[in-house]
Amino acid sequence: MGIIFHEEEQLFQLETLNTEYWIGIADEMYLGHIYYGKKIGDARCAYLLKTGERPFVPSKNRKEKASFTDSFPYEYPTWGTGDFRESCLNVRTAKGYRGCELFYESHAIIEGKPGLFGLPATFCQAEEQIKAKEGTEQNIADKAKSDLPGAGGQTLEITCRDPFLNLKVILRYSVFDDSDAIIRSAEIVNEGAKPVYLEKVLSACLTMDDENYDYLTLNGSWARERHIEKTPISHGKQGVFSERGISSHQEHPFLAVLDRNADQEQGRVYAMHFVYSGNFLAQVEKDPFDSLRMVMGIHPEGFCWELEPGMHFTAPEVVCMYSSEGLGKMTRNFHDLYRSHLIRSPYLHKKRPLLINNWEATYFDFDTDKLLAIAREAKKHGIEMLVMDDGWFGQRNHEYCSLGDWTVNQSKLKGGLEYLVEQVKAEGMKFGLWFEPEMVSPDSDLYRLHPEWAMQLPGRPATQGRGQYVLDLSQQEVIDYVYESVAKILRSADISYVKWDMNRPLTDVGSLYTEGKKQGELFHRFVLGLYQMQERLLKEFPNLLLENCASGGGRFDPGMLYYSPQIWCSDDTDAIERLEIQEGTALLYPLSTMGAHVSDCPNHIVGRSTPFTTRGHVALSGTFGYELDITKISKEDKEEIEEQTALYHKYQPLVREGDYYRLASWRENHHFDCWEVAAKDKSEALVTLVQVIAEAAFRSRKIRIKGLDAEADYLLEETGQVAKGSLWMEGGLLVPRDNGDFISHLYHFVRQ
Ligand code: DGJ
């Protein structure tokens, strides 16, 4: 494992557990992509760069340079000098000339992995938690460097230059000793004498021949996030993107190119996932030569970054993952990477307090007594934390006011927040609180005082979303104010958990503070402001359990995972709708990150009624909790809560730490859904099966279990049956037919 420079061949070899990535320095110092995939272990691979019929480099035929630039597999393509495919870097000079061409200059291979200043980033070892140094100016290059000697990984920094602009581009590639991920990012440094304007800076590019590949994305909407979609790749550009200022419900910053017949166990999969929470572009392009270019980065729409001489711009990270063993292996690779190298929370490997949230129970209609009644009843049934959701501050009795006024509504919460928290604690429970810090309501004291703090285009009435405006987080003054108003509340009482919400996309992205040429920086500066606030929060309250949320799962991305170990998956809590949402989410994210609660029926979003047991089983594959008025549900449901909380305690460590296998998808078979979590030491496995729609004339179904020790005996707890791991894995578990819809089962296998 590691990174090697083959001097004679002028090749870089990046080796991970099971994959290799090769980069070549071609004649004239062009940097080209040679290979990514299973290990080949042979530095004689440079010939793979020479794909064209025509002369290899311009020096051999300058008159036909355009033929070269149009097909060379650039490692980091630029715009304007003859590469007509999607570029990663577009640069404009002060005079308006556009064009850039990069040449290899030098490289360094360093131990460990530098942090990215102001940005979330994977790190070498969880214990070390590489952090960028203190500071607020993103342009100070040295601050981007972590000085931690990173055992557990290596980083290749390739420096390229455009000699005409004197623009330096540092391409970074990191590998870890225990992962198949290759982490890429790019840093642009203006070493010229005049400012330049970065009109597009993507983070990564990958070139390969098309071998009849499909591409796979995650798509949806509010309450229908991250549904898996597979599409054949055709000529031209295709992919997903967000221009909403958040990673979005609609499309996810992820793209995989995969064999047409790839499934959970076999087939080649090339995946990219963006460690960022704002606008993104994830695209694959099939060119006229049938080669593919995959790119990922900040979406160029609305983006323009002024880079003064001496200044740096750092593009966020992209995780590249190759699997030759289908989607299942890709999934487990991502889960392991995020658990070991991205999530920093002290709760990562700990049982999270089992919570009850009052949103679906009361919406805005609550007071201290009502909340305490819920807490008391919840405690009796094994629940450990009460979370007070939206509606506790200002005059907030509906959606259309008070965001920004983070002071307790004393007429609702008699005795104030401190009293409520103390009473909840006296019941033996912890307390959690909801915020939506990035927003301001037009009907709020904050807006009346500081209308200029809202994003807006002067003279144009700003577009409201859920009756609110977006705060201008490009301004340090605004960030400081918002942070302080949240922190002040957290300092005032014993609050164990925060749900950080965000309920609208960005529109009217203009700042009254920023000069004309800086307006193109606002989308990104907003995200940097958000990251800064969350970083400060974690620093001041290191034991806080933070759950991010954006109208459900509108900002469920690796960037946010760097700050919070769990993210609210979706506002749709219906157990059946959740199957597809959680399948798509678990394609990339560990189950321990997926906020999932049992709610009441008929479900508030889709009106469906499902058995309480099924709701519990589906939520058990996430963080687990409740979102209902426990004082109002039936005696039977209450009793079942006690059983479910016992299941939570029994299975939570396995669900949190185990290997995830997707065994069947109701999206594909239209009848049942099935997944498994197997302990890494193969001591146990838990299978969840949901029969969604019953079938007539149906016999028992065989489900092949995964991840067991073939030679060991396993007891199936639910039936008492014992069989060898090999039998469970090859012969399978016989699942009897259920008579009815929405019925679920858990199957627990324990090594004897
Ligand atoms: C959207 C969240 O997803 C919900 O869980 C809830 O917190 C509401 N916002 C509150 O406004």
Side-chain angles (χ1 to χ4, degrees), residues 359 389-390 396 434 466 499 501 503 549 551-552 568 571 627:
W359 178 240
D389 210 281
D390 193 355
R396 184 90 167 166
W434 179 98
R466 211 192 189 211
K499 178 176 172 187
D501 204 349
N503 281 300
C549 169
S551 302
W568 184 229
D571 275 348
E627 183 126 356

Side-chain angles (χ1 to χ4, degrees), residues 81-241:
T81 51
D83 179 354
F84 301 107
R85 296 155 289 178
E86 190 75 28
S87 61
C88 282
L89 182 65
N90 296 11
V91 187
R92 174 169 55 87
T93 63
K95 288 196 170 160
Y97 296 114
R98 291 180 168 88
C100 178
E101 197 176 17
L102 295 177
F103 301 93
Y104 167 86
E105 188 175 83
S106 64
H107 73 270
I109 298 172
I110 54 179
E111 287 305 311
K113 180 174 184 299
L116 299 185
F117 180 71
L119 285 167
T122 51
F123 46 80
C124 271
Q125 288 188 337
E127 307 81 61
E128 289 179 344
Q129 294 188 3
I130 292 184
K131 289 186 186 125
K133 286 182 186 171
E134 294 290 310
T136 52
E137 280 303 315
Q138 203 207 347
N139 55 6
I140 305 168
D142 290 344
K143 288 195 173 183
K145 302 251 163 79
S146 158
D147 46 13
L148 279 171
Q154 280 189 318
T155 298
L156 167 65
E157 293 188 341
I158 304 180
T159 300
C160 301
R161 185 174 299 276
D162 180 309
F164 296 95
L165 297 172
N166 212 358
L167 194 71
K168 187 162 94 176
V169 174
I170 306 165
L171 303 178
R172 292 204 173 85
Y173 304 77
S174 298
V175 297
F176 302 114
D177 293 347
D178 59 352
S179 173
D180 267 334
I182 293 179
I183 314 293
R184 288 191 58 172
S185 68
E187 185 177 332
I188 320 297
V189 190
N190 184 359
E191 295 193 340
K194 296 200 176 118
V196 292
Y197 296 88
L198 307 178
E199 296 190 320
K200 179 181 183 188
V201 187
L202 301 189
S203 299
C205 167
L206 199 55
T207 307
M208 66 194 93
D209 276 7
D210 184 28
E211 297 180 56
N212 213 19
Y213 289 129
D214 287 342
Y215 73 102
L216 187 144
T217 52
L218 300 175
N219 309 300
S221 73
W222 169 76
R224 192 161 32 81
E225 297 89 339
R226 292 173 297 285
H227 283 205
I228 296 173
E229 198 167 282
K230 216 163 102 170
T231 318
I233 296 174
S234 55
H235 280 101
K237 297 175 181 179
Q238 50 241 277
V240 285
F241 61 90

Side-chain angles (χ1 to χ4, degrees), residues 595-648:
H597 298 165
V598 175
S599 63
D600 211 356
C601 277
N603 180 267
H604 293 197
I605 303 289
V606 291
R608 182 182 289 125
S609 290
T610 51
F612 202 78
T613 311
T614 304
R615 284 176 261 158
H617 287 172
V618 173
L620 273 173
S621 285
T623 53
F624 197 71
Y626 291 89
E627 183 126 356
L628 41 72
D629 189 345
I630 194 169
T631 65
K632 291 193 179 144
I633 60 173
S634 70
K635 188 164 158 288
E636 294 72 37
D637 285 357
K638 272 190 206 169
E639 282 166 6
E640 203 168 332
I641 289 185
E642 280 168 43
E643 289 166 32
Q644 289 178 346
T645 56
L647 290 177
Y648 169 77

Side-chain angles (χ1 to χ4, degrees), residues 5 89 137 188 349 376 429-430 539 652 700:
F5 178 56
L89 182 65
E137 280 303 315
I188 320 297
H349 297 297
R376 264 179 225 119
M429 293 178 87
K430 291 176 188 275
K539 205 166 182 188
Q652 218 275 331
S700 297

Side-chain angles (χ1 to χ4, degrees), residues 364-379:
F364 295 102
D365 181 19
F366 62 86
D367 57 18
T368 305
D369 291 343
K370 215 179 216 180
L371 293 176
L372 287 178
I374 291 176
R376 264 179 225 119
E377 196 59 29
K379 172 68 186 169

